Amino acid sequence: MSRRSMLASAGATLAGGALLLRGNLAQAQQSTPSAPARRAPAPVRKDWLSPGLPGRDYRPVIVPNGTKLPWKVVDGVKVFHMVAEEVEHEFAPGIQANCWGYNGQVHGPTIEVVEGDRVRFYVTNRLPAPTTVHWHGLILPNGMDGVGGLNQKSIAPGETYRYEFTIRQHGTGMYHSHHDEMTQMALGMVGLFIMHPRRPVGPRVDRDFALLMHEWKVEPGARRPDPNEMTDFNLLTFNAKAFPGTEPLVVQQGERVRIRMGNLSAMDHHPIHLHGYHFRITETDAGPIPPSAQWPETTVLVPVGSTRTIEFVADAPGDWAMHCHMTHHLMNQMGHDLPVVIGVNPGGLDAKVRTLLPGYMTMGQTGMGDMAEMGMPVPKNSIPMVGAKGKYDYITMGGMFTVVKVRERLTGEGDPGWYDNPPGTQSIAATSEELSRDGIDVNTVPRAEPASPGGRHG
């Protein structure tokens, strides 16, 4: 039995012998409204269920910083209209760029459907170049897969194409252009495609978040992402926002939380690390992972072109960092070819150089952490070395960083502000009395001990 036929069989069982997945889809290449007359499409045997509805059939996902694509029902089919167009996008306060996206958004709006839905997408191209839409990870007829030249003619500027298929699975998918991907995906033509199960099993989640990762090259002062970059990306984003532009994920203590993550970066995988919790990876692109195959993790690697879903019970209140653990993915527009001057004493160098370059200052002798608060001039439309002011100090992070805010009680859906740690549960400066009590002499360094029998050091 093939994977596709197995899915069809499972779907039929799910629907209780109803109409879902009962026969072959008689899908043919769809005609272009503006194209010359072609042979009429073959009639489609109804193999779908009534449209799944939010609140009744599924709990809608939460998309921090994002939007959702609206739909309407026509003769039992969910109808969407996507418009590919140029979009002015703000990555974080202080930096905007001219990108390409869908329906005025970068990334494109999240699509949300239910297993067994029949969906129809009209895609209008308002770009200066042809485009297509590939439904990444979805099981569908070959002619709907959206690879320009292979499965269909690319959609020329001004044209509108129709895609139509039945949702045969549940899980987290994505969508993106499949015409000149290097350019069009680098400019933002990507989005999430969430498919809820028709009949959920397992514990019901209280918060269902969706994040899409991406990476960009935007030179300081530039207004257009560089699609030709292959390795030196300088903006790393969740839902097209770099910290401090990322919205927190707000959760009430005790709730079961699901976080869906997709990665449509050009070149980099992202090991996403969540502080304070052990979670379980519950889904991949191909669907759910059986509970017997799950194990606790604190970091999940999300490869390029893949999705991963994690779940945990939010039993620990606080402000918990969640971020990519590649350190260069936690900064914004830093120069990547700087000399190492850590430990260098410039002496009178600055004064001498200023005679030639007024305002010159040697930087980085103790690392780059202090640079964010120095207020040095930077090019317009750029955010190099920018993090954000936290409750206690400056957060020296940028890029692919956000915060999961877990609170004992929530009074609304918005950002609850910073967490107040209970007395005695926060790291603070040690007092002399504490040091004396515990026999700590800050002027000496304890000699390290051998790490293996017979080992030596020093």
Side-chain angles (χ1 to χ4, degrees):
M1 178 180 286
S2 68
R3 180 171 178 268
R4 188 176 298 271
S5 61
M6 180 179 69
L7 286 169
S9 175
T13 302
L14 175 70
L19 297 173
L20 176 63
L21 307 174
R22 193 173 57 188
N24 295 327
L25 287 178
Q27 298 290 312
Q29 176 66 51
Q30 303 303 304
S31 61
T32 308
S34 58
R38 299 178 180 176
R39 186 176 61 185
V44 177
R45 176 181 296 177
K46 184 177 180 181
D47 67 344
W48 59 90
L49 301 176
S50 59
L53 300 177
R56 188 193 72 180
D57 298 301
Y58 66 93
R59 182 186 293 276
V61 295
I62 302 167
V63 188
N65 297 110
T67 59
K68 296 183 183 179
L69 189 64
W71 49 270
K72 58 185 176 182
V73 176
V74 179
D75 296 332
V77 177
K78 286 184 176 176
V79 177
F80 301 79
H81 184 200
M82 299 173 66
V83 179
E85 59 184 354
E86 182 155 307
V87 177
E88 176 85 6
H89 176 66
E90 182 183 76
F91 289 97
I95 180 167
Q96 296 180 323
N98 297 319
C99 301
W100 288 2
Y102 299 94
N103 299 64
Q105 301 295 313
V106 172
H107 308 139
T110 295
I111 295 167
E112 202 165 18
V113 299
V114 178
E115 187 179 22
D117 281 349
R118 182 74 173 179
V119 295
R120 183 179 300 145
F121 293 94
Y122 290 101
V123 179
T124 297
N125 184 6
R126 292 183 181 169
L127 297 171
T131 191
T132 64
V133 178
H134 166 57
W135 316 97
H136 186 113
L138 272 65
I139 306 299
L140 39 59
N142 181 256
M144 295 294 168
D145 199 41
V147 179
L150 176 66
N151 307 119
Q152 65 170 88
K153 287 178 64 65
S154 295
I155 309 170
E159 288 187 328
T160 297
Y161 268 44
R162 175 168 61 84
Y163 297 83
E164 184 166 338
F165 47 88
T166 297
I167 303 299
R168 297 175 175 272
Q169 65 202 97
H170 61 83
T172 303
M174 300 181 282
Y175 66 90
H176 59 82
S177 164
H178 222 302
H179 172 90
D180 188 14
E181 297 98 292
M182 187 188 81
T183 299
Q184 299 197 0
M185 292 178 68
L187 294 181
M189 298 189 68
V190 299
L192 284 167
F193 197 119
I194 309 300
M195 298 165 284
H196 294 279
R198 177 66 59 164
R199 293 183 178 178
V201 297
R204 182 180 176 87
V205 299
D206 301 292
R207 307 268 173 171
D208 192 347
F209 296 100
L211 299 174
L212 184 57
M213 291 165 252
H214 203 351
E215 58 192 0
W216 319 71
K217 178 64 177 290
V218 183
E219 293 284 2
R223 300 287 299 185
R224 182 79 75 184
D226 180 1
N228 299 316
E229 181 56 53
M230 294 186 180
T231 58
D232 196 18
F233 301 96
N234 60 8
L235 281 175
L236 286 294
T237 57
F238 283 132
N239 288 343
K241 293 286 187 178
F243 188 77
T246 52
E247 292 179 353
L249 282 61
V250 179
V251 176
Q252 182 160 299
Q253 185 178 0
E255 291 183 326
R256 177 173 286 275
V257 180
R258 174 184 294 146
I259 303 178
R260 307 167 185 261
M261 290 172 275
N263 182 8
L264 286 178
S265 301
M267 299 295 287
D268 287 301
H269 312 315
H270 300 297
I272 303 299
H273 177 53
L274 173 62
H275 294 209
Y277 286 97
H278 287 172
F279 54 76
R280 290 177 181 269
I281 305 170
T282 57
E283 288 185 358
T284 70
D285 307 77
I289 300 172
S292 60
Q294 302 170 10
W295 62 84
E297 294 275 15
T298 65
T299 302
V300 54
L301 179 65
V302 188
V304 172
S306 297
T307 69
R308 296 288 184 270
T309 299
I310 66 171
E311 291 186 19
F312 61 96
V313 175
D315 55 4
D319 289 339
W320 300 107
M322 190 174 87
H323 59 91
C324 179
H325 220 290
M326 291 189 176
T327 56
H328 282 212
H329 294 183
L330 290 171
M331 56 188 191
N332 294 321
Q333 292 182 299
M334 287 284 294
H336 294 176
D337 298 317
L338 301 175
V340 178
V341 295
I342 295 174
V344 172
N345 181 356
L349 176 65
D350 286 10
K352 295 178 180 177
V353 175
R354 285 189 191 117
T355 62
L356 302 173
L357 297 173
Y360 172 82
M361 179 177 62
T362 303
M363 301 183 301
Q365 299 96 312
T366 61
M368 305 305 290
D370 295 336
M371 299 296 107
E373 294 186 278
M374 294 181 67
M376 57 186 292
V378 298
K380 291 182 179 178
N381 198 47
S382 67
I383 52 172
M385 299 171 287
V386 169
K389 183 69 177 176
K391 180 177 181 177
Y392 302 102
D393 215 335
Y394 199 85
I395 302 172
T396 55
M397 301 287 177
M400 204 170 274
F401 179 91
T402 189
V403 180
V404 177
K405 296 192 172 187
V406 181
R407 297 291 183 272
E408 294 88 342
R409 183 171 291 103
L410 294 175
T411 56
E413 295 296 324
D415 187 344
W418 299 113
Y419 182 68
D420 293 320
N421 291 281
T425 66
Q426 184 180 28
S427 176
I428 56 176
T431 66
S432 57
E433 290 78 11
E434 290 171 330
L435 296 171
S436 176
R437 179 195 64 196
D438 295 330
I440 302 298
D441 182 356
V442 298
N443 297 312
T444 64
V445 179
R447 187 175 176 80
E449 299 177 349
S452 60
R456 295 192 301 173
H457 59 79

